[in-house]
Amino acid sequence: MLYHLLYPLHTEISAFYVFRFITFRTIYAAITALVISFILGPWLIKTLTNLQLGQQIRKVGPESHFKKEGTPTMGGTLILFAIVLPTLLWTDLTNPYVWITLLVTVGYGAIGFLDDYRKIKFKNSEGLSARQKLAGQVVIAMLAVGLLYMVPGFRTTLAFPFFKNVLPDLGLFYLGFGMLVIIGSSNAVNLTDGLDGLAIGPTIIAAGAYLVFAYAAGHAKVAGYLQIPSISGAGELAVLCGAMIGAGLGFLWFNTYPAQVFMGDVGSLSLGGALGTIAVITKQEIVLTIVGGIFVMEALSVIFQVTSFRLLGRRIFRMAPIHHHFELKGWPEPKIIVRFWIVSIILALIGLSTLKLR
Ligand code: 57M
């Protein structure tokens, strides 16, 4: 909005020319999101507490979690607001990629909201059924990838990290693949969200990496130099990534150990969906498995645990997702969280290195 209102005035007020630059708008989107989170955070926590929107803790989980009973959840509503408003303020609103990413973010947020609300209303930790959640995710992902398919110039090729000349065209199959990336990413972030700051840390880090990917893909010269797919208009997603980073940091302020608030499914499903959509648009889908390696590891730990238990009757981990394994081994919660962040930074750097190593 500010871009549309103020940039045209640069002919009279030359300082407004700065609104043209994605870098400038990205920084201010991040700052706006941070300010929103800091201002509204304490109010939201108080309101959620007064409304008794507190977390029900599963009795089968690690004992250390019992003391978290009643911690307000659904803090993800603030994350959503702090992403959407700065995005509307600072991006070019004629850009279809921005709207499609917002559609997934808000749509998945709505599914998560329903789930959280039901969990609290019916005072158990079950919420929506897995099938209901997945159906909602499929419909929104299908809509998003379908819309992307209609954007002029959108490519259905698949870019492989490290190999610049391997670009198979998936054609219509890309629709299914794109949906898989979005849904998989959303659920993997959700599984990771089980310790204070554990999901939001790697999300901020991944958003930072995708900020760079989006900027590079959207800049024809930079994309040409790096030999990555050049996607006209993808640069605006850097601004959205900036808002994600600001909103994430603002939320982490309150969610860091010991958490004053949890994000709830409204946060985890939407953040994961947003990352997946950005990966699809910037043609860095496979790299998401590196940059979001923590999420992949958490999801795989569940898949391996369930498969091993069903087939061999034996568990691989003390408990899945894997962060519970380390808890049960006696690692203090903050140690697990910070170590996962460190791994996440290393993985993001490896992911970014694929820009040069090809
Ligand atoms: C959501 N939700 C947290 C909070 C957060 C198939 C199976 C592996 C699924 C998995 C599952 O349901 N995962 C998805 C995990 C919950 O957090 C809430 O949920 C939101 C995110 N969706 O925002 O609102 C609890 O996590 C803790 N928490 C924090 N700090 C945070 O900042 O401490 C969350 C955020 C909160 C709080 O305690 O209550 C969750 O873990 O429930 N299921 C599991 O993860 C279960 N694993 C399991 O059953 N493993 C089995 C098999 C099936 C693989 C095994 O290993 O044998 C465990 N979950 C829990 N207890 N809590 C089981 C024990």
Side-chain angles (χ1 to χ4, degrees), residues 93-111:
L93 294 176
T94 61
N95 184 298
Y97 297 137
V98 169
W99 286 109
I100 293 170
T101 310
L102 283 183
L103 165 82
V104 175
T105 313
V106 175
Y108 279 24
I111 299 173

mmCIF file with all atom_site columns, all heavy atoms in Angstrom, residues 93-111:
data_model
loop_
_atom_site.group_PDB
_atom_site.id
_atom_site.type_symbol
_atom_site.label_atom_id
_atom_site.label_alt_id
_atom_site.label_comp_id
_atom_site.label_asym_id
_atom_site.label_entity_id
_atom_site.label_seq_id
_atom_site.pdbx_PDB_ins_code
_atom_site.Cartn_x
_atom_site.Cartn_y
_atom_site.Cartn_z
_atom_site.occupancy
_atom_site.B_iso_or_equiv
_atom_site.pdbx_formal_charge
_atom_site.auth_seq_id
_atom_site.auth_comp_id
_atom_site.auth_asym_id
_atom_site.auth_atom_id
_atom_site.pdbx_PDB_model_num
ATOM 1   N N   . LEU A 1 93  ? 1.281  -4.657  -4.563  1.00 0.00 ? 93  LEU A N   1
ATOM 2   C CA  . LEU A 1 93  ? 0.058  -5.470  -4.457  1.00 0.00 ? 93  LEU A CA  1
ATOM 3   C C   . LEU A 1 93  ? -0.481 -5.937  -5.812  1.00 0.00 ? 93  LEU A C   1
ATOM 4   O O   . LEU A 1 93  ? -1.496 -6.622  -5.870  1.00 0.00 ? 93  LEU A O   1
ATOM 5   C CB  . LEU A 1 93  ? -1.011 -4.710  -3.677  1.00 0.00 ? 93  LEU A CB  1
ATOM 6   C CG  . LEU A 1 93  ? -0.642 -4.482  -2.208  1.00 0.00 ? 93  LEU A CG  1
ATOM 7   C CD1 . LEU A 1 93  ? -1.689 -3.634  -1.504  1.00 0.00 ? 93  LEU A CD1 1
ATOM 8   C CD2 . LEU A 1 93  ? -0.460 -5.795  -1.470  1.00 0.00 ? 93  LEU A CD2 1
ATOM 9   N N   . THR A 1 94  ? 0.215  -5.571  -6.886  1.00 0.00 ? 94  THR A N   1
ATOM 10  C CA  . THR A 1 94  ? -0.209 -6.111  -8.184  1.00 0.00 ? 94  THR A CA  1
ATOM 11  C C   . THR A 1 94  ? 0.513  -7.438  -8.463  1.00 0.00 ? 94  THR A C   1
ATOM 12  O O   . THR A 1 94  ? 0.312  -8.038  -9.507  1.00 0.00 ? 94  THR A O   1
ATOM 13  C CB  . THR A 1 94  ? 0.105  -5.124  -9.330  1.00 0.00 ? 94  THR A CB  1
ATOM 14  O OG1 . THR A 1 94  ? 1.522  -4.929  -9.358  1.00 0.00 ? 94  THR A OG1 1
ATOM 15  C CG2 . THR A 1 94  ? -0.598 -3.792  -9.148  1.00 0.00 ? 94  THR A CG2 1
ATOM 16  N N   . ASN A 1 95  ? 1.357  -7.857  -7.515  1.00 0.00 ? 95  ASN A N   1
ATOM 17  C CA  . ASN A 1 95  ? 2.168  -9.061  -7.733  1.00 0.00 ? 95  ASN A CA  1
ATOM 18  C C   . ASN A 1 95  ? 1.383  -10.328 -7.356  1.00 0.00 ? 95  ASN A C   1
ATOM 19  O O   . ASN A 1 95  ? 0.986  -10.496 -6.204  1.00 0.00 ? 95  ASN A O   1
ATOM 20  C CB  . ASN A 1 95  ? 3.434  -8.943  -6.873  1.00 0.00 ? 95  ASN A CB  1
ATOM 21  C CG  . ASN A 1 95  ? 4.383  -10.082 -7.090  1.00 0.00 ? 95  ASN A CG  1
ATOM 22  O OD1 . ASN A 1 95  ? 4.059  -11.225 -6.842  1.00 0.00 ? 95  ASN A OD1 1
ATOM 23  N ND2 . ASN A 1 95  ? 5.572  -9.768  -7.583  1.00 0.00 ? 95  ASN A ND2 1
ATOM 24  N N   . PRO A 1 96  ? 1.156  -11.235 -8.309  1.00 0.00 ? 96  PRO A N   1
ATOM 25  C CA  . PRO A 1 96  ? 0.338  -12.428 -7.997  1.00 0.00 ? 96  PRO A CA  1
ATOM 26  C C   . PRO A 1 96  ? 0.999  -13.350 -6.980  1.00 0.00 ? 96  PRO A C   1
ATOM 27  O O   . PRO A 1 96  ? 0.314  -13.996 -6.186  1.00 0.00 ? 96  PRO A O   1
ATOM 28  C CB  . PRO A 1 96  ? 0.215  -13.138 -9.354  1.00 0.00 ? 96  PRO A CB  1
ATOM 29  C CG  . PRO A 1 96  ? 1.334  -12.622 -10.184 1.00 0.00 ? 96  PRO A CG  1
ATOM 30  C CD  . PRO A 1 96  ? 1.615  -11.231 -9.717  1.00 0.00 ? 96  PRO A CD  1
ATOM 31  N N   . TYR A 1 97  ? 2.341  -13.410 -6.992  1.00 0.00 ? 97  TYR A N   1
ATOM 32  C CA  . TYR A 1 97  ? 3.027  -14.329 -6.069  1.00 0.00 ? 97  TYR A CA  1
ATOM 33  C C   . TYR A 1 97  ? 2.766  -13.962 -4.609  1.00 0.00 ? 97  TYR A C   1
ATOM 34  O O   . TYR A 1 97  ? 2.658  -14.825 -3.746  1.00 0.00 ? 97  TYR A O   1
ATOM 35  C CB  . TYR A 1 97  ? 4.539  -14.340 -6.348  1.00 0.00 ? 97  TYR A CB  1
ATOM 36  C CG  . TYR A 1 97  ? 4.891  -14.844 -7.729  1.00 0.00 ? 97  TYR A CG  1
ATOM 37  C CD1 . TYR A 1 97  ? 5.845  -14.206 -8.504  1.00 0.00 ? 97  TYR A CD1 1
ATOM 38  C CD2 . TYR A 1 97  ? 4.266  -15.972 -8.245  1.00 0.00 ? 97  TYR A CD2 1
ATOM 39  C CE1 . TYR A 1 97  ? 6.173  -14.679 -9.770  1.00 0.00 ? 97  TYR A CE1 1
ATOM 40  C CE2 . TYR A 1 97  ? 4.576  -16.454 -9.512  1.00 0.00 ? 97  TYR A CE2 1
ATOM 41  C CZ  . TYR A 1 97  ? 5.525  -15.795 -10.271 1.00 0.00 ? 97  TYR A CZ  1
ATOM 42  O OH  . TYR A 1 97  ? 5.846  -16.267 -11.520 1.00 0.00 ? 97  TYR A OH  1
ATOM 43  N N   . VAL A 1 98  ? 2.692  -12.664 -4.356  1.00 0.00 ? 98  VAL A N   1
ATOM 44  C CA  . VAL A 1 98  ? 2.420  -12.217 -2.983  1.00 0.00 ? 98  VAL A CA  1
ATOM 45  C C   . VAL A 1 98  ? 1.041  -12.702 -2.552  1.00 0.00 ? 98  VAL A C   1
ATOM 46  O O   . VAL A 1 98  ? 0.870  -13.272 -1.464  1.00 0.00 ? 98  VAL A O   1
ATOM 47  C CB  . VAL A 1 98  ? 2.500  -10.669 -2.906  1.00 0.00 ? 98  VAL A CB  1
ATOM 48  C CG1 . VAL A 1 98  ? 1.963  -10.160 -1.569  1.00 0.00 ? 98  VAL A CG1 1
ATOM 49  C CG2 . VAL A 1 98  ? 3.921  -10.193 -3.130  1.00 0.00 ? 98  VAL A CG2 1
ATOM 50  N N   . TRP A 1 99  ? 0.053  -12.541 -3.413  1.00 0.00 ? 99  TRP A N   1
ATOM 51  C CA  . TRP A 1 99  ? -1.323 -12.925 -3.053  1.00 0.00 ? 99  TRP A CA  1
ATOM 52  C C   . TRP A 1 99  ? -1.454 -14.432 -2.891  1.00 0.00 ? 99  TRP A C   1
ATOM 53  O O   . TRP A 1 99  ? -2.164 -14.915 -1.999  1.00 0.00 ? 99  TRP A O   1
ATOM 54  C CB  . TRP A 1 99  ? -2.308 -12.404 -4.114  1.00 0.00 ? 99  TRP A CB  1
ATOM 55  C CG  . TRP A 1 99  ? -2.508 -10.919 -3.984  1.00 0.00 ? 99  TRP A CG  1
ATOM 56  C CD1 . TRP A 1 99  ? -2.046 -9.965  -4.839  1.00 0.00 ? 99  TRP A CD1 1
ATOM 57  C CD2 . TRP A 1 99  ? -3.178 -10.215 -2.933  1.00 0.00 ? 99  TRP A CD2 1
ATOM 58  N NE1 . TRP A 1 99  ? -2.391 -8.711  -4.393  1.00 0.00 ? 99  TRP A NE1 1
ATOM 59  C CE2 . TRP A 1 99  ? -3.091 -8.844  -3.228  1.00 0.00 ? 99  TRP A CE2 1
ATOM 60  C CE3 . TRP A 1 99  ? -3.833 -10.620 -1.773  1.00 0.00 ? 99  TRP A CE3 1
ATOM 61  C CZ2 . TRP A 1 99  ? -3.645 -7.855  -2.392  1.00 0.00 ? 99  TRP A CZ2 1
ATOM 62  C CZ3 . TRP A 1 99  ? -4.389 -9.646  -0.947  1.00 0.00 ? 99  TRP A CZ3 1
ATOM 63  C CH2 . TRP A 1 99  ? -4.286 -8.288  -1.264  1.00 0.00 ? 99  TRP A CH2 1
ATOM 64  N N   . ILE A 1 100 ? -0.772 -15.182 -3.751  1.00 0.00 ? 100 ILE A N   1
ATOM 65  C CA  . ILE A 1 100 ? -0.881 -16.649 -3.650  1.00 0.00 ? 100 ILE A CA  1
ATOM 66  C C   . ILE A 1 100 ? -0.231 -17.135 -2.346  1.00 0.00 ? 100 ILE A C   1
ATOM 67  O O   . ILE A 1 100 ? -0.762 -18.002 -1.649  1.00 0.00 ? 100 ILE A O   1
ATOM 68  C CB  . ILE A 1 100 ? -0.266 -17.327 -4.899  1.00 0.00 ? 100 ILE A CB  1
ATOM 69  C CG1 . ILE A 1 100 ? -1.125 -16.975 -6.123  1.00 0.00 ? 100 ILE A CG1 1
ATOM 70  C CG2 . ILE A 1 100 ? -0.166 -18.842 -4.720  1.00 0.00 ? 100 ILE A CG2 1
ATOM 71  C CD1 . ILE A 1 100 ? -0.540 -17.359 -7.468  1.00 0.00 ? 100 ILE A CD1 1
ATOM 72  N N   . THR A 1 101 ? 0.906  -16.526 -1.988  1.00 0.00 ? 101 THR A N   1
ATOM 73  C CA  . THR A 1 101 ? 1.552  -16.922 -0.723  1.00 0.00 ? 101 THR A CA  1
ATOM 74  C C   . THR A 1 101 ? 0.666  -16.534 0.466   1.00 0.00 ? 101 THR A C   1
ATOM 75  O O   . THR A 1 101 ? 0.524  -17.304 1.425   1.00 0.00 ? 101 THR A O   1
ATOM 76  C CB  . THR A 1 101 ? 2.953  -16.260 -0.595  1.00 0.00 ? 101 THR A CB  1
ATOM 77  O OG1 . THR A 1 101 ? 3.671  -16.498 -1.804  1.00 0.00 ? 101 THR A OG1 1
ATOM 78  C CG2 . THR A 1 101 ? 3.723  -16.824 0.575   1.00 0.00 ? 101 THR A CG2 1
ATOM 79  N N   . LEU A 1 102 ? 0.043  -15.365 0.382   1.00 0.00 ? 102 LEU A N   1
ATOM 80  C CA  . LEU A 1 102 ? -0.848 -14.952 1.474   1.00 0.00 ? 102 LEU A CA  1
ATOM 81  C C   . LEU A 1 102 ? -2.061 -15.882 1.571   1.00 0.00 ? 102 LEU A C   1
ATOM 82  O O   . LEU A 1 102 ? -2.532 -16.192 2.666   1.00 0.00 ? 102 LEU A O   1
ATOM 83  C CB  . LEU A 1 102 ? -1.321 -13.503 1.280   1.00 0.00 ? 102 LEU A CB  1
ATOM 84  C CG  . LEU A 1 102 ? -0.313 -12.415 1.627   1.00 0.00 ? 102 LEU A CG  1
ATOM 85  C CD1 . LEU A 1 102 ? -0.945 -11.030 1.458   1.00 0.00 ? 102 LEU A CD1 1
ATOM 86  C CD2 . LEU A 1 102 ? 0.234  -12.559 3.050   1.00 0.00 ? 102 LEU A CD2 1
ATOM 87  N N   . LEU A 1 103 ? -2.556 -16.328 0.403   1.00 0.00 ? 103 LEU A N   1
ATOM 88  C CA  . LEU A 1 103 ? -3.704 -17.239 0.395   1.00 0.00 ? 103 LEU A CA  1
ATOM 89  C C   . LEU A 1 103 ? -3.382 -18.504 1.202   1.00 0.00 ? 103 LEU A C   1
ATOM 90  O O   . LEU A 1 103 ? -4.172 -18.930 2.058   1.00 0.00 ? 103 LEU A O   1
ATOM 91  C CB  . LEU A 1 103 ? -4.053 -17.624 -1.058  1.00 0.00 ? 103 LEU A CB  1
ATOM 92  C CG  . LEU A 1 103 ? -4.980 -18.821 -1.213  1.00 0.00 ? 103 LEU A CG  1
ATOM 93  C CD1 . LEU A 1 103 ? -6.427 -18.383 -1.027  1.00 0.00 ? 103 LEU A CD1 1
ATOM 94  C CD2 . LEU A 1 103 ? -4.831 -19.502 -2.564  1.00 0.00 ? 103 LEU A CD2 1
ATOM 95  N N   . VAL A 1 104 ? -2.204 -19.079 0.939   1.00 0.00 ? 104 VAL A N   1
ATOM 96  C CA  . VAL A 1 104 ? -1.826 -20.302 1.660   1.00 0.00 ? 104 VAL A CA  1
ATOM 97  C C   . VAL A 1 104 ? -1.605 -19.987 3.147   1.00 0.00 ? 104 VAL A C   1
ATOM 98  O O   . VAL A 1 104 ? -2.081 -20.711 4.028   1.00 0.00 ? 104 VAL A O   1
ATOM 99  C CB  . VAL A 1 104 ? -0.558 -20.942 1.043   1.00 0.00 ? 104 VAL A CB  1
ATOM 100 C CG1 . VAL A 1 104 ? -0.107 -22.131 1.865   1.00 0.00 ? 104 VAL A CG1 1
ATOM 101 C CG2 . VAL A 1 104 ? -0.822 -21.349 -0.397  1.00 0.00 ? 104 VAL A CG2 1
ATOM 102 N N   . THR A 1 105 ? -0.899 -18.892 3.414   1.00 0.00 ? 105 THR A N   1
ATOM 103 C CA  . THR A 1 105 ? -0.575 -18.556 4.804   1.00 0.00 ? 105 THR A CA  1
ATOM 104 C C   . THR A 1 105 ? -1.861 -18.376 5.614   1.00 0.00 ? 105 THR A C   1
ATOM 105 O O   . THR A 1 105 ? -2.025 -18.966 6.683   1.00 0.00 ? 105 THR A O   1
ATOM 106 C CB  . THR A 1 105 ? 0.268  -17.252 4.845   1.00 0.00 ? 105 THR A CB  1
ATOM 107 O OG1 . THR A 1 105 ? 1.304  -17.350 3.869   1.00 0.00 ? 105 THR A OG1 1
ATOM 108 C CG2 . THR A 1 105 ? 0.873  -17.021 6.203   1.00 0.00 ? 105 THR A CG2 1
ATOM 109 N N   . VAL A 1 106 ? -2.760 -17.567 5.095   1.00 0.00 ? 106 VAL A N   1
ATOM 110 C CA  . VAL A 1 106 ? -3.994 -17.282 5.844   1.00 0.00 ? 106 VAL A CA  1
ATOM 111 C C   . VAL A 1 106 ? -4.925 -18.507 5.833   1.00 0.00 ? 106 VAL A C   1
ATOM 112 O O   . VAL A 1 106 ? -5.540 -18.845 6.851   1.00 0.00 ? 106 VAL A O   1
ATOM 113 C CB  . VAL A 1 106 ? -4.703 -16.031 5.263   1.00 0.00 ? 106 VAL A CB  1
ATOM 114 C CG1 . VAL A 1 106 ? -6.034 -15.787 5.946   1.00 0.00 ? 106 VAL A CG1 1
ATOM 115 C CG2 . VAL A 1 106 ? -3.799 -14.807 5.412   1.00 0.00 ? 106 VAL A CG2 1
ATOM 116 N N   . GLY A 1 107 ? -4.992 -19.198 4.689   1.00 0.00 ? 107 GLY A N   1
ATOM 117 C CA  . GLY A 1 107 ? -5.850 -20.391 4.593   1.00 0.00 ? 107 GLY A CA  1
ATOM 118 C C   . GLY A 1 107 ? -5.413 -21.465 5.580   1.00 0.00 ? 107 GLY A C   1
ATOM 119 O O   . GLY A 1 107 ? -6.236 -22.023 6.316   1.00 0.00 ? 107 GLY A O   1
ATOM 120 N N   . TYR A 1 108 ? -4.104 -21.743 5.620   1.00 0.00 ? 108 TYR A N   1
ATOM 121 C CA  . TYR A 1 108 ? -3.603 -22.763 6.561   1.00 0.00 ? 108 TYR A CA  1
ATOM 122 C C   . TYR A 1 108 ? -3.767 -22.265 8.002   1.00 0.00 ? 108 TYR A C   1
ATOM 123 O O   . TYR A 1 108 ? -3.998 -23.062 8.918   1.00 0.00 ? 108 TYR A O   1
ATOM 124 C CB  . TYR A 1 108 ? -2.139 -23.113 6.249   1.00 0.00 ? 108 TYR A CB  1
ATOM 125 C CG  . TYR A 1 108 ? -2.005 -24.108 5.116   1.00 0.00 ? 108 TYR A CG  1
ATOM 126 C CD1 . TYR A 1 108 ? -3.011 -24.237 4.160   1.00 0.00 ? 108 TYR A CD1 1
ATOM 127 C CD2 . TYR A 1 108 ? -0.908 -24.941 4.996   1.00 0.00 ? 108 TYR A CD2 1
ATOM 128 C CE1 . TYR A 1 108 ? -2.917 -25.148 3.121   1.00 0.00 ? 108 TYR A CE1 1
ATOM 129 C CE2 . TYR A 1 108 ? -0.794 -25.867 3.961   1.00 0.00 ? 108 TYR A CE2 1
ATOM 130 C CZ  . TYR A 1 108 ? -1.806 -25.954 3.027   1.00 0.00 ? 108 TYR A CZ  1
ATOM 131 O OH  . TYR A 1 108 ? -1.699 -26.870 2.005   1.00 0.00 ? 108 TYR A OH  1
ATOM 132 N N   . GLY A 1 109 ? -3.618 -20.951 8.164   1.00 0.00 ? 109 GLY A N   1
ATOM 133 C CA  . GLY A 1 109 ? -3.836 -20.374 9.495   1.00 0.00 ? 109 GLY A CA  1
ATOM 134 C C   . GLY A 1 109 ? -5.270 -20.631 9.954   1.00 0.00 ? 109 GLY A C   1
ATOM 135 O O   . GLY A 1 109 ? -5.522 -20.962 11.114  1.00 0.00 ? 109 GLY A O   1
ATOM 136 N N   . ALA A 1 110 ? -6.216 -20.513 9.026   1.00 0.00 ? 110 ALA A N   1
ATOM 137 C CA  . ALA A 1 110 ? -7.624 -20.719 9.373   1.00 0.00 ? 110 ALA A CA  1
ATOM 138 C C   . ALA A 1 110 ? -7.874 -22.183 9.777   1.00 0.00 ? 110 ALA A C   1
ATOM 139 O O   . ALA A 1 110 ? -8.594 -22.447 10.757  1.00 0.00 ? 110 ALA A O   1
ATOM 140 C CB  . ALA A 1 110 ? -8.519 -20.336 8.197   1.00 0.00 ? 110 ALA A CB  1
ATOM 141 N N   . ILE A 1 111 ? -7.255 -23.117 9.061   1.00 0.00 ? 111 ILE A N   1
ATOM 142 C CA  . ILE A 1 111 ? -7.398 -24.542 9.436   1.00 0.00 ? 111 ILE A CA  1
ATOM 143 C C   . ILE A 1 111 ? -6.836 -24.756 10.849  1.00 0.00 ? 111 ILE A C   1
ATOM 144 O O   . ILE A 1 111 ? -7.451 -25.385 11.707  1.00 0.00 ? 111 ILE A O   1
ATOM 145 C CB  . ILE A 1 111 ? -6.624 -25.458 8.447   1.00 0.00 ? 111 ILE A CB  1
ATOM 146 C CG1 . ILE A 1 111 ? -7.179 -25.294 7.031   1.00 0.00 ? 111 ILE A CG1 1
ATOM 147 C CG2 . ILE A 1 111 ? -6.679 -26.913 8.905   1.00 0.00 ? 111 ILE A CG2 1
ATOM 148 C CD1 . ILE A 1 111 ? -6.358 -26.035 5.978   1.00 0.00 ? 111 ILE A CD1 1
#
